[in-house]
Amino acid sequence: MTIPTAPTDAQLAAASWRTSSYSAANNECVEIAPVASWMCVRDSKDPSGPALTFTAPAFAAFVAEVKRTA
C-alpha cells in the first residue's frame, strides 16, 4: 500500500474546515477538513496551529469504532 503525500501548509490553510453540529459556539472543539486523500484535524482554538493528518481509510475506521463503542 502506498501512502499519499501529506497535505502542504498551503493546502491546510485553503481547506474547508468544519466543526460538528454538536459543538458549542465557544471554539472548544476540533475541526476537520478533507484534503486530497487525507482527513485533517485541528484545534478550533488554534486554527493556525498544527493539524493532525490521517489517511481517509484510517479516519473512517476511527469514526466507525467511535460510533460502535458510543
Side-chain angles (χ1 to χ4, degrees):
M1 178 172 116
T2 303
I3 298 175
T5 303
T8 64
D9 289 341
Q11 288 174 305
L12 292 172
S16 295
W17 293 93
R18 67 179 183 90
T19 59
S20 169
S21 60
Y22 294 100
S23 297
N26 57 4
N27 285 340
E28 292 191 14
C29 52
V30 296
E31 298 174 318
I32 63 168
V35 177
S37 300
W38 296 85
M39 283 303 294
C40 307
V41 181
R42 70 181 183 186
D43 184 345
S44 63
K45 293 185 302 287
D46 188 12
S48 62
L52 300 174
T53 55
F54 302 92
T55 62
F59 190 77
F62 167 74
V63 170
E65 184 64 15
V66 169
K67 287 180 179 179
R68 188 185 72 75
T69 60

